[in-house]
């Protein structure tokens, strides 16, 4: 029996003090889900607060979003996401942090999630994220005391993309800068380009356009 995959989604629903709603970005869950689900993997969901997470990027014109949203089993799973305290790290081969701006407020400082991720990684598993999801990677430390991203090629939502959506002064930190501070070799493409990098079982993608490719990269790594 193959180990399951754990998707992490944000519980945070506001972009700072702007009054604008946010949450997990639907396409960044549905596109990797479709790739991995079709390959026969079971997926569970966790969020910092558990329960029903807020959703953003809600576009059912996207057939993959629609397929996920109308899948009763998975819609029920994400609407009843686990709390970090309910997760048994040994059950999972992979942890994947989905993006959406909310992740910038509640991923980085969640020590329980960081511990789960470090256990999965130290067990030989995969740590992945897309867009703002890699906010969850910035404080993961390994048994040797080093940051997970230190010395690895990493990719995430860029400073330029944050400026483009005019949230540079709203987010609590700039993801690209923070990852570089942790020793990541940050790679990037132009605005909204599909860019995915895989380095030593850490797989990261730049933006919503990269979500499916992250799923495919996880699948490729799982098959090794």
């Amino acid at each position: 029996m193959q180990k399951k995959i754990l998707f992490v989604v944000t519980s945070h629903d506001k972009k700072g003090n702007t009054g604008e709603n946010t949450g997990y970005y639907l396409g960044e869950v549905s596109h990797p889900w479709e790739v991995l689900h079709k390959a026969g993997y079971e997926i569970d969901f966790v969020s910092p607060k558990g329960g029903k997470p807020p959703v953003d990027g809600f576009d059912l014109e996207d057939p993959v979003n629609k397929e996920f949203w109308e899948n009763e089993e998975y819609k029920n799973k994400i609407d009843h996401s686990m709390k970090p305290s309910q997760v048994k790290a040994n059950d999972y081969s992979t942890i994947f942090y989905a993006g959406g701006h909310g992740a910038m407020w509640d991923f980085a400082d969640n020590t329980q999630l960081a511990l789960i991720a470090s256990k999965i990684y130290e067990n030989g598993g995969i740590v992945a994220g897309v867009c703002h999801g890699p906010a969850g990677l910035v404080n993961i430390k390994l048994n040797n005391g080093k940051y997970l991203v230190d010395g690895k090629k990493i990719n995430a939502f860029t400073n330029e993309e944050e400026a483009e959506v005019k949230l540079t002064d709203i987010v609590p930190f700039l993801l690209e800068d923070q990852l570089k501070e942790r020793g990541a070799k940050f790679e990037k493409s132009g605005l909204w380009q599909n860019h995915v990098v895989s380095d030593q079982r850490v797989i990261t993608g730049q933006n919503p356009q990269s979500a499916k490719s992250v799923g495919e990269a996880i699948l490729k790594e799982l098959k090794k």
Side-chain angles (χ1 to χ4, degrees):
M1 165 145 160
Q2 59 193 15
K3 288 194 168 186
K4 296 184 287 186
I5 295 172
L6 185 64
F7 276 32
V8 188
V9 290
T10 180
S11 299
H12 189 86
D13 67 355
K14 286 282 182 284
K15 293 177 185 170
N17 53 11
T18 62
E20 285 178 43
N21 291 333
T22 186
Y24 70 87
Y25 202 82
L26 182 56
E28 294 173 23
V29 168
S30 69
H31 284 261
W33 166 82
E34 186 205 25
V35 171
L36 297 163
H37 174 60
K38 281 197 170 151
Y41 286 88
E42 187 184 340
I43 294 162
D44 289 340
F45 296 91
V46 63
S47 62
K49 291 182 181 170
K52 189 173 185 175
V55 61
D56 197 5
F58 190 73
D59 172 17
L60 296 187
E61 298 289 299
D62 175 333
V64 180
N65 281 352
K66 191 170 159 59
E67 185 190 348
F68 175 80
W69 202 250
E70 291 175 356
N71 181 307
E72 280 185 26
E73 180 196 355
Y74 275 96
K75 178 72 167 62
N76 184 55
K77 271 190 165 190
I78 200 166
D79 284 349
H80 298 88
S81 66
M82 293 185 286
K83 291 178 179 162
S85 59
Q86 295 172 286
V87 173
K88 295 189 178 100
N90 290 339
D91 292 348
Y92 300 96
S93 64
T94 305
I95 183 167
F96 165 70
Y97 290 86
H101 263 95
M104 292 297 290
W105 279 270
D106 66 356
F107 276 11
D109 294 330
N110 193 299
T111 49
Q112 284 179 297
L113 285 171
L115 197 58
I116 292 164
S118 107
K119 276 186 186 160
I120 290 170
Y121 190 76
E122 303 273 15
N123 285 342
I126 298 163
V127 176
V130 70
C131 197
H132 288 97
L137 275 55
V138 300
N139 289 323
I140 298 173
K141 276 192 170 173
L142 302 176
N143 287 335
N144 62 11
K146 281 189 166 180
Y147 285 107
L148 171 73
V149 298
D150 189 9
K152 293 186 183 75
K153 288 185 264 189
I154 299 287
N155 174 226
F157 204 68
T158 66
N159 290 350
E160 291 83 359
E161 284 166 329
E162 207 63 84
E164 185 76 6
V165 295
K166 299 185 168 54
L167 289 170
T168 302
D169 298 328
I170 302 297
V171 289
F173 59 93
L174 287 174
L175 187 48
E176 177 183 330
D177 290 354
Q178 192 72 30
L179 287 162
K180 285 176 179 168
E181 268 182 39
R182 297 288 189 249
K185 296 175 183 168
F186 197 88
E187 289 194 352
K188 58 182 165 182
S189 294
L191 295 169
W192 321 121
Q193 300 298 305
N194 179 358
H195 187 135
V196 173
V197 59
S198 182
D199 189 358
Q200 300 167 65
R201 294 181 287 108
V202 179
I203 297 165
T204 43
Q206 186 167 318
N207 43 37
Q209 289 75 10
S210 313
K212 182 180 184 180
S213 300
V214 170
E216 290 167 342
I218 291 170
L219 185 58
K220 189 176 167 189
E221 189 68 40
L222 283 167
K223 286 180 169 172
K224 280 185 182 172

